[in-house]
Amino acid sequence: MSTLAALLPAVPAVGWAVHARWLHSRLTTARRDPLTGLWTRDAFTRRARRLLRNPRAVVVLADVDHFKQINDRHGHAAGDALLATIAARLAHGTTPHGVVGRLGGDEFAAVVIDRDHTMPDRLHTLARVLARPADTAPDVHTTVSLGWVRAADHPGEDLSALLRRADEAMYAAKRSGRASPRRARLGRLLGSVAGRRPGRRGAA
């Protein structure tokens, strides 16, 4: 048998392997936000639900303060640079044992496993880090409001309910104006504040 004939059966296999790698790369890219590199909402949701099986899981919601003013004052390119910087810092601050995604606009979410019960201190440190100027634009900076909730405090609640609790806490943190992370209250939800967001987006 010639060398060429011996190689022919392997050609389709090599072709499929290359195609599979290309397809995997395209799918991974589609699940990543193009600006920040974080997981998109759907990809984040799938990973977050798996992490919530751990009793030490904590859900965090982050929203950039005064973002509209940043865009108006410095331009959208500066606003994009700020979002990318905040995303990188969030990713660093929630790993290992966590996942972070961009839910849309200037809002981010994370699920972290609090293995050593230091989440309050970690989030206070993270809030200070997030408020630092962007490395590429020293004049562009703002605070980031953080709300968080321990999944164990609300047994049986799914990711959507825990995000609503974290959102409620984040909104309270934003209204306080102290750029201090706020833990979700115990008891029943006051109701989703999502309907109030359009009026406060970038204005708080």
Short mmCIF file of all heavy atoms in Angstrom, two decimals, residues 63-71 73-74 78-79 81-83 85-86 89 106 108 126-134 137-145 174 179 202-204:
data_model
loop_
_atom_site.label_atom_id
_atom_site.label_comp_id
_atom_site.label_asym_id
_atom_site.label_seq_id
_atom_site.Cartn_x
_atom_site.Cartn_y
_atom_site.Cartn_z
N ASP A 63 -23.36 47.19 40.16
CA ASP A 63 -23.88 48.18 39.21
C ASP A 63 -23.00 49.42 39.30
O ASP A 63 -22.74 49.93 40.39
CB ASP A 63 -25.33 48.52 39.56
CG ASP A 63 -25.99 49.37 38.49
OD1 ASP A 63 -26.53 48.78 37.54
OD2 ASP A 63 -25.98 50.60 38.62
N VAL A 64 -22.55 49.91 38.15
CA VAL A 64 -21.64 51.04 38.11
C VAL A 64 -22.40 52.34 38.40
O VAL A 64 -23.43 52.61 37.79
CB VAL A 64 -20.94 51.14 36.73
CG1 VAL A 64 -19.96 52.32 36.71
CG2 VAL A 64 -20.22 49.84 36.42
N ASP A 65 -21.90 53.13 39.33
CA ASP A 65 -22.53 54.40 39.69
C ASP A 65 -22.14 55.50 38.70
O ASP A 65 -21.01 55.54 38.22
CB ASP A 65 -22.11 54.81 41.10
CG ASP A 65 -22.50 53.78 42.15
OD1 ASP A 65 -23.56 53.16 42.00
OD2 ASP A 65 -21.72 53.59 43.11
N HIS A 66 -23.09 56.38 38.42
CA HIS A 66 -22.84 57.57 37.59
C HIS A 66 -22.33 57.22 36.20
O HIS A 66 -21.57 57.99 35.60
CB HIS A 66 -21.84 58.50 38.28
CG HIS A 66 -22.12 58.75 39.72
ND1 HIS A 66 -23.22 59.45 40.16
CD2 HIS A 66 -21.44 58.38 40.85
CE1 HIS A 66 -23.21 59.51 41.49
NE2 HIS A 66 -22.15 58.86 41.91
N PHE A 67 -22.74 56.08 35.67
CA PHE A 67 -22.15 55.66 34.40
C PHE A 67 -22.55 56.58 33.25
O PHE A 67 -21.75 56.84 32.35
CB PHE A 67 -22.53 54.21 34.09
CG PHE A 67 -21.82 53.66 32.89
CD1 PHE A 67 -20.44 53.52 32.89
CD2 PHE A 67 -22.52 53.31 31.75
CE1 PHE A 67 -19.77 53.04 31.77
CE2 PHE A 67 -21.85 52.81 30.64
CZ PHE A 67 -20.48 52.68 30.65
N LYS A 68 -23.77 57.06 33.26
CA LYS A 68 -24.19 57.97 32.20
C LYS A 68 -23.33 59.25 32.20
O LYS A 68 -22.94 59.75 31.13
CB LYS A 68 -25.67 58.34 32.37
CG LYS A 68 -26.20 59.22 31.24
CD LYS A 68 -27.68 59.51 31.42
CE LYS A 68 -28.23 60.33 30.24
NZ LYS A 68 -27.54 61.62 30.09
N GLN A 69 -23.01 59.74 33.40
CA GLN A 69 -22.16 60.93 33.47
C GLN A 69 -20.76 60.66 32.95
O GLN A 69 -20.14 61.54 32.33
CB GLN A 69 -22.08 61.43 34.92
CG GLN A 69 -23.36 62.11 35.41
CD GLN A 69 -24.32 61.12 36.06
OE1 GLN A 69 -24.42 59.96 35.61
NE2 GLN A 69 -25.03 61.55 37.09
N ILE A 70 -20.27 59.45 33.18
CA ILE A 70 -18.95 59.08 32.64
C ILE A 70 -18.97 59.16 31.12
O ILE A 70 -18.08 59.74 30.48
CB ILE A 70 -18.55 57.67 33.09
CG1 ILE A 70 -18.32 57.63 34.60
CG2 ILE A 70 -17.31 57.19 32.34
CD1 ILE A 70 -17.09 58.35 35.07
N ASN A 71 -20.00 58.58 30.51
CA ASN A 71 -20.12 58.62 29.05
C ASN A 71 -20.28 60.05 28.53
O ASN A 71 -19.67 60.43 27.53
CB ASN A 71 -21.32 57.78 28.60
CG ASN A 71 -20.99 56.30 28.51
OD1 ASN A 71 -19.84 55.92 28.32
ND2 ASN A 71 -22.00 55.47 28.65
N ARG A 73 -19.33 62.86 29.95
CA ARG A 73 -18.17 63.71 30.21
C ARG A 73 -16.94 63.28 29.42
O ARG A 73 -16.20 64.12 28.91
CB ARG A 73 -17.86 63.70 31.71
CG ARG A 73 -16.72 64.64 32.13
CD ARG A 73 -16.53 64.57 33.63
NE ARG A 73 -17.80 64.80 34.32
CZ ARG A 73 -18.06 64.34 35.55
NH1 ARG A 73 -17.18 63.61 36.20
NH2 ARG A 73 -19.23 64.61 36.12
N HIS A 74 -16.72 61.98 29.34
CA HIS A 74 -15.47 61.49 28.76
C HIS A 74 -15.65 60.79 27.41
O HIS A 74 -14.66 60.51 26.74
CB HIS A 74 -14.79 60.52 29.73
CG HIS A 74 -14.44 61.14 31.05
ND1 HIS A 74 -13.36 61.98 31.23
CD2 HIS A 74 -15.05 61.05 32.26
CE1 HIS A 74 -13.30 62.36 32.49
NE2 HIS A 74 -14.32 61.82 33.15
N ALA A 78 -14.27 55.98 26.58
CA ALA A 78 -13.81 55.97 27.97
C ALA A 78 -14.73 55.11 28.83
O ALA A 78 -14.27 54.39 29.73
CB ALA A 78 -13.73 57.39 28.50
N GLY A 79 -16.05 55.21 28.57
CA GLY A 79 -16.99 54.38 29.32
C GLY A 79 -16.75 52.90 29.08
O GLY A 79 -16.80 52.09 30.01
N ALA A 81 -13.89 51.55 28.25
CA ALA A 81 -12.63 51.21 28.93
C ALA A 81 -12.87 51.00 30.41
O ALA A 81 -12.29 50.09 31.03
CB ALA A 81 -11.59 52.29 28.69
N LEU A 82 -13.74 51.82 30.99
CA LEU A 82 -14.06 51.66 32.41
C LEU A 82 -14.77 50.34 32.67
O LEU A 82 -14.44 49.63 33.63
CB LEU A 82 -14.92 52.83 32.88
CG LEU A 82 -15.36 52.79 34.35
CD1 LEU A 82 -14.15 52.87 35.27
CD2 LEU A 82 -16.35 53.91 34.65
N LEU A 83 -15.74 50.00 31.82
CA LEU A 83 -16.45 48.73 31.98
C LEU A 83 -15.50 47.55 31.87
O LEU A 83 -15.60 46.58 32.65
CB LEU A 83 -17.56 48.61 30.94
CG LEU A 83 -18.78 49.50 31.12
CD1 LEU A 83 -19.76 49.29 29.97
CD2 LEU A 83 -19.46 49.26 32.45
N THR A 85 -12.32 47.53 32.54
CA THR A 85 -11.47 47.52 33.73
C THR A 85 -12.22 46.94 34.92
O THR A 85 -11.70 46.10 35.67
CB THR A 85 -11.00 48.95 34.05
OG1 THR A 85 -10.18 49.42 32.98
CG2 THR A 85 -10.20 48.98 35.35
N ILE A 86 -13.46 47.39 35.12
CA ILE A 86 -14.27 46.88 36.23
C ILE A 86 -14.51 45.39 36.08
O ILE A 86 -14.43 44.63 37.06
CB ILE A 86 -15.59 47.66 36.30
CG1 ILE A 86 -15.33 49.07 36.83
CG2 ILE A 86 -16.61 46.94 37.18
CD1 ILE A 86 -16.53 49.98 36.77
N ARG A 89 -11.44 43.47 37.12
CA ARG A 89 -11.26 43.48 38.57
C ARG A 89 -12.29 42.60 39.27
O ARG A 89 -11.98 41.94 40.27
CB ARG A 89 -11.33 44.92 39.08
CG ARG A 89 -10.14 45.77 38.63
CD ARG A 89 -10.33 47.24 38.94
NE ARG A 89 -9.17 48.01 38.52
CZ ARG A 89 -9.11 49.34 38.53
NH1 ARG A 89 -10.15 50.03 38.97
NH2 ARG A 89 -8.01 49.97 38.12
N ASP A 106 -24.26 48.32 32.37
CA ASP A 106 -23.23 48.47 33.41
C ASP A 106 -23.54 47.61 34.63
O ASP A 106 -23.18 47.95 35.75
CB ASP A 106 -23.09 49.95 33.81
CG ASP A 106 -24.42 50.54 34.28
OD1 ASP A 106 -25.47 49.95 33.99
OD2 ASP A 106 -24.40 51.61 34.93
N PHE A 108 -23.35 43.76 36.46
CA PHE A 108 -22.63 42.50 36.48
C PHE A 108 -23.15 41.64 37.65
O PHE A 108 -23.69 42.16 38.62
CB PHE A 108 -21.12 42.75 36.69
CG PHE A 108 -20.52 43.69 35.69
CD1 PHE A 108 -20.52 45.06 35.91
CD2 PHE A 108 -19.95 43.21 34.52
CE1 PHE A 108 -19.95 45.94 34.99
CE2 PHE A 108 -19.39 44.08 33.59
CZ PHE A 108 -19.40 45.44 33.82
N LEU A 126 -13.07 44.62 47.62
CA LEU A 126 -13.38 44.68 46.20
C LEU A 126 -13.98 46.03 45.83
O LEU A 126 -13.65 46.61 44.79
CB LEU A 126 -14.34 43.55 45.83
CG LEU A 126 -14.79 43.48 44.36
CD1 LEU A 126 -13.59 43.29 43.44
CD2 LEU A 126 -15.79 42.35 44.17
N ALA A 127 -14.85 46.56 46.69
CA ALA A 127 -15.47 47.86 46.40
C ALA A 127 -14.42 48.96 46.30
O ALA A 127 -14.52 49.84 45.43
CB ALA A 127 -16.49 48.20 47.50
N ARG A 128 -13.41 48.90 47.15
CA ARG A 128 -12.34 49.91 47.08
C ARG A 128 -11.52 49.74 45.81
O ARG A 128 -11.13 50.73 45.17
CB ARG A 128 -11.43 49.79 48.32
CG ARG A 128 -12.12 50.22 49.61
CD ARG A 128 -11.10 50.43 50.72
NE ARG A 128 -10.40 49.20 51.06
CZ ARG A 128 -10.82 48.33 51.98
NH1 ARG A 128 -11.96 48.56 52.63
NH2 ARG A 128 -10.13 47.24 52.24
N VAL A 129 -11.26 48.49 45.43
CA VAL A 129 -10.49 48.24 44.21
C VAL A 129 -11.27 48.72 42.98
O VAL A 129 -10.70 49.33 42.07
CB VAL A 129 -10.16 46.73 44.08
CG1 VAL A 129 -9.59 46.41 42.71
CG2 VAL A 129 -9.19 46.32 45.18
N LEU A 130 -12.57 48.47 42.96
CA LEU A 130 -13.39 48.86 41.81
C LEU A 130 -13.47 50.38 41.65
O LEU A 130 -13.71 50.88 40.55
CB LEU A 130 -14.79 48.28 41.95
CG LEU A 130 -14.91 46.76 41.88
CD1 LEU A 130 -16.35 46.32 42.15
CD2 LEU A 130 -14.45 46.22 40.53
N ALA A 131 -13.29 51.11 42.74
CA ALA A 131 -13.38 52.57 42.68
C ALA A 131 -12.09 53.23 42.21
O ALA A 131 -12.07 54.45 42.00
CB ALA A 131 -13.76 53.11 44.06
N ARG A 132 -11.04 52.46 42.02
CA ARG A 132 -9.79 53.05 41.56
C ARG A 132 -9.90 53.46 40.09
O ARG A 132 -10.64 52.86 39.33
CB ARG A 132 -8.63 52.04 41.72
CG ARG A 132 -8.30 51.69 43.16
CD ARG A 132 -7.27 50.59 43.20
NE ARG A 132 -6.99 50.15 44.56
CZ ARG A 132 -6.32 49.06 44.87
NH1 ARG A 132 -5.86 48.27 43.90
NH2 ARG A 132 -6.11 48.74 46.13
N PRO A 133 -9.15 54.49 39.69
CA PRO A 133 -9.18 54.91 38.28
C PRO A 133 -8.74 53.78 37.36
O PRO A 133 -7.97 52.90 37.74
CB PRO A 133 -8.18 56.08 38.24
CG PRO A 133 -8.10 56.57 39.64
CD PRO A 133 -8.28 55.36 40.51
N ALA A 134 -9.25 53.81 36.13
CA ALA A 134 -8.81 52.85 35.13
C ALA A 134 -7.34 53.08 34.81
O ALA A 134 -6.89 54.23 34.70
CB ALA A 134 -9.66 52.99 33.87
N ALA A 137 -6.87 55.17 31.75
CA ALA A 137 -7.49 56.49 31.76
C ALA A 137 -7.62 56.97 33.21
O ALA A 137 -8.67 56.78 33.84
CB ALA A 137 -8.85 56.45 31.07
N PRO A 138 -6.56 57.58 33.76
CA PRO A 138 -6.55 57.95 35.18
C PRO A 138 -7.68 58.87 35.61
O PRO A 138 -8.04 58.90 36.78
CB PRO A 138 -5.18 58.66 35.33
CG PRO A 138 -4.36 58.12 34.21
CD PRO A 138 -5.30 57.88 33.08
N ASP A 139 -8.26 59.62 34.68
CA ASP A 139 -9.34 60.54 35.03
C ASP A 139 -10.71 59.87 35.05
O ASP A 139 -11.70 60.50 35.46
CB ASP A 139 -9.38 61.71 34.03
CG ASP A 139 -8.14 62.59 34.10
OD1 ASP A 139 -7.53 62.63 35.19
OD2 ASP A 139 -7.79 63.21 33.09
N VAL A 140 -10.76 58.63 34.60
CA VAL A 140 -12.05 57.94 34.49
C VAL A 140 -12.19 56.94 35.64
O VAL A 140 -11.51 55.92 35.68
CB VAL A 140 -12.17 57.20 33.14
CG1 VAL A 140 -13.52 56.52 33.02
CG2 VAL A 140 -11.97 58.19 31.99
N HIS A 141 -13.07 57.27 36.56
CA HIS A 141 -13.31 56.36 37.68
C HIS A 141 -14.64 56.71 38.34
O HIS A 141 -15.15 57.83 38.20
CB HIS A 141 -12.17 56.43 38.70
CG HIS A 141 -11.98 57.79 39.31
ND1 HIS A 141 -12.58 58.17 40.49
CD2 HIS A 141 -11.29 58.88 38.88
CE1 HIS A 141 -12.25 59.41 40.78
NE2 HIS A 141 -11.47 59.87 39.82
N THR A 142 -15.19 55.76 39.05
CA THR A 142 -16.43 55.95 39.79
C THR A 142 -16.56 54.81 40.78
O THR A 142 -15.74 53.89 40.78
CB THR A 142 -17.65 55.99 38.85
OG1 THR A 142 -18.81 56.34 39.60
CG2 THR A 142 -17.87 54.64 38.17
N THR A 143 -17.55 54.87 41.63
CA THR A 143 -17.80 53.78 42.56
C THR A 143 -18.71 52.74 41.90
O THR A 143 -19.33 53.00 40.88
CB THR A 143 -18.46 54.31 43.84
OG1 THR A 143 -19.63 55.07 43.49
CG2 THR A 143 -17.49 55.19 44.61
N VAL A 144 -18.77 51.58 42.53
CA VAL A 144 -19.62 50.49 42.06
C VAL A 144 -20.44 50.00 43.25
O VAL A 144 -19.89 49.65 44.29
CB VAL A 144 -18.78 49.33 41.47
CG1 VAL A 144 -19.69 48.17 41.07
CG2 VAL A 144 -17.98 49.82 40.28
N SER A 145 -21.75 50.01 43.11
CA SER A 145 -22.62 49.54 44.18
C SER A 145 -22.72 48.02 44.14
O SER A 145 -22.92 47.43 43.08
CB SER A 145 -24.02 50.15 44.04
OG SER A 145 -23.98 51.55 44.21
N LYS A 174 -26.79 51.67 46.72
CA LYS A 174 -26.68 52.81 45.81
C LYS A 174 -27.35 54.05 46.41
O LYS A 174 -26.82 55.16 46.34
CB LYS A 174 -27.30 52.45 44.46
CG LYS A 174 -27.07 53.49 43.37
CD LYS A 174 -27.67 53.05 42.05
CE LYS A 174 -26.88 51.94 41.42
NZ LYS A 174 -25.59 52.42 40.86
N ALA A 179 -21.00 53.77 48.92
CA ALA A 179 -20.20 52.80 48.16
C ALA A 179 -19.77 51.63 49.03
O ALA A 179 -18.66 51.14 48.94
CB ALA A 179 -18.98 53.48 47.54
N GLY A 202 -27.48 55.28 35.84
CA GLY A 202 -26.50 56.33 35.61
C GLY A 202 -26.78 57.60 36.38
O GLY A 202 -26.01 58.53 36.34
N ALA A 203 -27.88 57.64 37.14
CA ALA A 203 -28.22 58.88 37.84
C ALA A 203 -27.93 58.80 39.32
O ALA A 203 -27.95 59.81 40.01
CB ALA A 203 -29.69 59.20 37.61
N ALA A 204 -27.71 57.57 39.83
CA ALA A 204 -27.51 57.44 41.26
C ALA A 204 -26.07 57.69 41.63
O ALA A 204 -25.20 57.61 40.81
CB ALA A 204 -27.96 56.06 41.72
#
